[in-house]
Structure formats: structure tokens, C-alpha cells
């Protein structure tokens, strides 16, 4: 029978054209042979000289491979007596017999709740496409780079920020956010009611885990924010769509379902349709939450980006019974990659929320929190908001003009008073998801309204973001969209229908 050393020499195949260094290839292959028992515990390896001549490699290659495997505990050198497979490796790990299908194709690889997370994966688009019609794209060209760089550099040298962060968030950011909320949103709250999160999405995930049990019923707007809904579904909750009309989400639908435990709402700017919830509707929802002893999650992640109309008092401020959790974010008003947001909580929920946050996610990087605190304190956010409101207004106007000129008869869009996108209602009986996919295949990125539906059938439409595209580039961008329609950007696209 072949000895273990012979098996090593026969089994190693080195690829001299590959990118991986030879010593690493050798070490990985020997490790696999030890793992599956081809090189059994206690086996003596061929001498370095034999390996050099049989494998045609340098001494440095063999020595580096042996050193790595010795450091990892696979090999043991006995002084003057060669190198052996360590006896620790007594139980071989069975070798994989056949290629297995990728995880994504093995239904059982994730739990039923995990399946909810990726069933809804949004249309893919390249985040490097700074100028696109993606609905939540911001104006990266307007980001105040020099102020941000100065503030980050200043905080980056502070050693006291290097330890684990406070689960509630960086103190001076909590204070700065409380001041900001009083100024901009009229929310009367203290800094100790605020917990800093990695954006609104993390806040929603923590809320769902902290407050709900699997099977609990949750009202979501129909159509509504996709990832927000998924946060609740992934906790095993049953989501129930409530329709949206010109006044915002319809509260009657919740009143008819006494088992509802929570309602997830976007009153400042209904996502995705864009209307502002009326004062009457706000009162109805608060009345519902108090009578049903249920929670309201008020997602206000871009409430400040208004171009007209009044910014109405938040549900958090109107509620006198601690039923509302207010969720905010710096993603749209500053930049989504910062991953910074916050929740304003009824006092009794602050400690449980912070405890859950420290287990589920940990707070965001202290450096970023500290830089943002300084950014707010020095007044840069107010200035940035003033600038971007003007800029986004002008970009929206440019988009609407171009859609009117180049897309008339194919889609119809009206101005919005808030947010970063308009709704382009498609003419004809088309499938908006196919249209969006057809556009994306041609490098024109939008979202389909159909992706946002829960139960309700909606007329076909696209969410078309205006914030990321400079005014002077809008004509060319919309011309690309028009060209994609000319090419028949979806198999189902049947062409314009005159009656629409
Ligand atoms: C309505 C709404 N809520 C929450 C989010 C998530 O924001 P964040 O980046 O803060 O997680 C978005 C992002 O687009 C959104 O549109």
C-alpha cells in the first residue's frame, strides 16, 4: 500500500499559471488531505528535499506551506525526525462527493422567515450609477465634502472614541438630534428619548423583534415601503395591507381588524405615492392606536424634504398616550452610505430598545456619529437642506418637462411636494414590473409601482427619481428612457394607448 507521503506526492496538483501563490496551493491541498483522512493522523510527510524535487518547487514554497500548516495545528515537526500530521486530526471530515446546487437553489437552506428576506430582493442596479432614476438616489454632487472631511478628520484622532459605543448612541448626537427635531419637525422630545440606529431600516428590524411575536398582525400601507414590510414579515408577522387614498392610509381598514398589534405608516410623505396624511386622518389613526392598545411606527425618513405645502405635526407629537414610535434617517437628507438614523421612543421603551439594539446590531460607528453631531451643531445640515430643497425642486421641474416632451403618450407624471421621486403612470395595459426590468436591462433604472403592492391591484406605474440627475443631464437621461421604450423595453409592452 502506498504510504501517506506517497499519497501526498500523487495527490498534489499545482497550477503555475494561477493567481494563487504555490505555497498557498500546496498548503490548501495538504489541509484538504488531512481533513478527509488521505493523510491520516500521525503520518510522516516526505522530506523537504523530496518534495522540492518531485513537485518541482522551491525550498521557500515547501517551507512556507509547512510553516502555515504547523501554525494552524495540522502538522507537527519532530526535531531531527521529520514532519508528521498532528494526532489532533483524528476524525476525518467526509470529502464532498458531488457538486451541490448553490444555496439560493436549496429551498431548505434558509428558514421560512429567512425566505421572506430574499424573496423580495429589489431590482438590481449599480450603486456606482450616481445619476439614475432610482427613487432614493440623492445628489452626491451636492454633498458638503469639505465640511464632512474636516469633521471626520477631527474626530478620527480622538482615542476616547475607540471603545465600544453606548447602545443608546453617542451622547452629543442624541442631543443634536433632539434640537434638530424641535427646530425642523416641531417634535417636543428630550435627548434621552432618542436612540441612534444604522438608518431607518435597522430601527424597523429592532422594533419588529422587540414588540411583536410570530403570527401577530401588522397593518402596512398598500402600496407601501417594501423593506419596511419585509422587516415585519421576517419576524413571522402577518402583514395586512390598508389602502391609501388622497388623505393617506385609510384608518377604517385597521378599525375593522381588532387583532392588529401595530401599524407601520408614512404620514409625512406616503411611500411610494407621495401624499401627505391629512390632520383628520392623523387623529383617526391615533384614536385607533389608543383604543386598540396598538403601536404606530411613524416612518418619517425624508419628511424634511418638502418643496411646498405645510409640514404637519408628527403623529409622535399628537399622541398623548405613548403609542407612537417615530423613525427618522439621515439617508435621504444627507447620504445613505453613512448608515445613520434614529428613533424617538416613548420613555418606557428606551431601555428595551437600546438593549435589543446592542444584541441585534450594535450601534453605528462612533466616529460617524461624532462627526454627524458636529455637523448638526455647526449648522451644516440646515444649510444643506436649504440647498438641496432648491436643487431637488429644480431637478424635479427639469424631469417633468423632459417627461412631458419625450414621453408624452407613454407615461404621465405630476409634481410631488415632498421626497425624491415622481410617479410616472404608464399608458396602456402593461405590466410595470416588466417595463422596469426592460428599462434596467438597457441601463435605465426605475422601480415598478407593482413591487410595492400588498394585495391591491394598482394601475401600472414607475417610480422615477429626480434627485440624482443634474438638470443639464436630464434631457439626455430621459432621451435614454425614451429610446428604451422605442426598443420595446418589455416583452409585454404593447405600445401607447391613446385613451390614457
Ligand atoms: C419610506 C422609507 N423608509 C425607510 C427607508 C430606509 O432608510 P435607511 O437608509 O435609513 O435605512 C427608506 C429608504 O429608501 C424609505 O424610503
Amino acid at each position: 500500500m502506498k504510504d501517506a507521503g506517497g499519497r501526498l506526492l500523487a495527490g498534489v496538483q499545482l497550477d503555475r499559471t494561477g493567481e494563487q501563490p504555490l505555497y498557498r496551493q500546496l498548503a490548501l491541498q495538504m489541509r484538504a488531505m488531512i481533513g478527509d483522512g488521505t493523510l491520516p493522523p500521525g503520518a510522516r510527510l516526505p522530506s523537504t528535499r523530496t518534495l522540492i524535487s518531485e513537485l518541482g518547487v522551491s525550498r521557500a514554497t515547501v517551507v512556507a506551506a509547512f510553516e502555515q500548516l504547523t501554525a494552524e495545528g495540522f502538522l507537527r515537526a519532530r526535531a531531527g525526525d521529520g514532519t508528521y500530521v498532528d494526532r489532533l486530526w483524528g476524525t476525518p471530515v467526509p470529502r464532498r462527493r458531488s457538486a451541490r446546487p448553490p444555496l439560493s437553489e436549496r429551498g431548505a437552506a434558509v428558514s421560512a422567515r429567512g425566505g421572506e428576506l430574499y424573496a423580495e430582493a429589489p431590482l438590481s442596479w449599480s450603486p456606482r450609477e450616481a445619476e439614475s432614476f432610482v427613487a432614493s438616489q440623492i445628489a452626491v454632487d451636492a454633498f458638503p465634502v469639505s465640511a464632512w472631511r474636516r469633521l471626520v478628520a477631527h474626530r478620527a484622532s480622538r482615542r476616547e472614541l475607540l471603545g465600544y459605543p453606548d447602545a443608546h448612541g453617542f451622547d452629543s448626537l442624541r442631543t443634536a438630534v433632539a434640537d434638530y427635531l424641535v427646530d425642523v419637525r416641531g417634535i417636543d422630545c428630550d435627548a434621552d428619548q432618542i436612540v441612534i440606529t444604522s438608518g431607518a431600516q435597522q430601527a424597523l428590524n429592532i422594533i419588529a423583534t422587540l414588540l411583536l411575536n410570530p403570527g401577530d398582525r401588522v397593518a402596512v400601507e398598500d402600496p407601501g415601503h417594501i423593506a419596511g414590510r419585509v422587516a415585519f414579515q421576517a419576524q413571522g408577522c402577518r402583514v395586512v395591507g390598508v389602502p391609501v387614498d388622497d388623505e393617506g392610509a385609510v384608518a377604517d381598514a385597521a378599525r375593522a381588524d381588532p387583532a392588529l398589534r401595530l401599524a407601520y405608516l408614512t404620514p409625512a410623505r406616503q411611500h411610494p405615492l407621495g401624499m401627505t396624511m391629512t390632520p383628520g386622518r392623523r387623529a383617526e389613526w391615533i384614536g385607533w392606536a389608543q383604543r386598540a392598545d396598538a403601536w404606530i411606527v411613524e416612518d418619517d425618513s425624508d419628511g424634511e424634504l418638502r418643496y411646498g405645502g405645510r409640514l404637519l405635526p408628527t403623529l409622535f407629537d399628537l399622541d398623548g398616550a405613548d403609542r407612537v414610535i417615530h423613525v427618522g434617517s439621515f439617508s435621504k437628507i444627507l447620504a445613505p452610505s453613512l448608515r445613520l438614523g434614529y428613533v424617538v421612543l416613548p420613555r418606557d421603551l428606551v431601555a428595551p430598545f437600546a438593549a435589543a439594539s446592542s444584541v441585534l446590531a450594535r450601534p453605528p460607528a462612533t466616529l460617524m456619529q461624532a462627526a454627524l453631531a458636529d455637523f448638526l451643531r455647526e449648522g451644516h445640515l440646515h444649510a444643506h437642506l436649504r440647498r438641496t430643497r432648491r436643487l431637488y425642486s429644480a431637478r424635479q421641474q427639469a424631469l417633468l418637462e423632459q417627461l412631458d416632451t419625450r414621453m408624452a403618450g407613454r407615461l404621465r407624471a405630476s409634481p410631488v411636494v415632498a421626497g425624491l421621486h415622481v410617479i410616472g403612470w404608464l399608458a396602456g395595459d402593461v405590466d410595470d414590473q416588466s417595463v422596469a426590468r426592460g428599462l434596467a436591462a438597457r441601463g435605465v433604472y426605475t422601480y415598478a409601482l407593482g413591487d410595492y403592492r400588498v394585495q391591491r391591484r394598482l394601475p401600472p406605474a414607475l417610480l422615477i427619481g429626480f434627485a440624482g440627475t443634474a438638470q443639464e443631464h436630464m434631457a439626455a437621461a430621459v432621451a435614454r428612457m425614451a429610446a428604451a421604450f422605442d426598443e420595446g423595453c418589455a416583452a409585454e409592452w404593447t405600445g401607447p394607448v391613446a385613451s390614457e
Side-chain angles (χ1 to χ4, degrees), residues 136 199-201 225 264 266 269 271 299 301 329 331-332 339:
S136 45
Q201 188 61 36
H225 178 47
Y264 167 58
T266 53
R269 178 195 60 81
H271 192 70
D299 181 341
S301 53
S329 171
S331 286
K332 292 187 188 170
R339 304 312 309 141

Side-chain angles (χ1 to χ4, degrees), residues 349-367:
L349 272 188
V350 174
F353 186 97
S357 166
S358 69
V359 174
L360 291 174
R362 305 272 195 224
T366 311
L367 171 60

Side-chain angles (χ1 to χ4, degrees), residues 165-184:
D166 183 332
H168 299 83
F170 190 62
D171 243 6
S172 57
L173 180 57
R174 295 171 78 199
T175 306
V177 169
D179 292 346
Y180 168 79
L181 287 174
V182 173
D183 277 4
V184 178

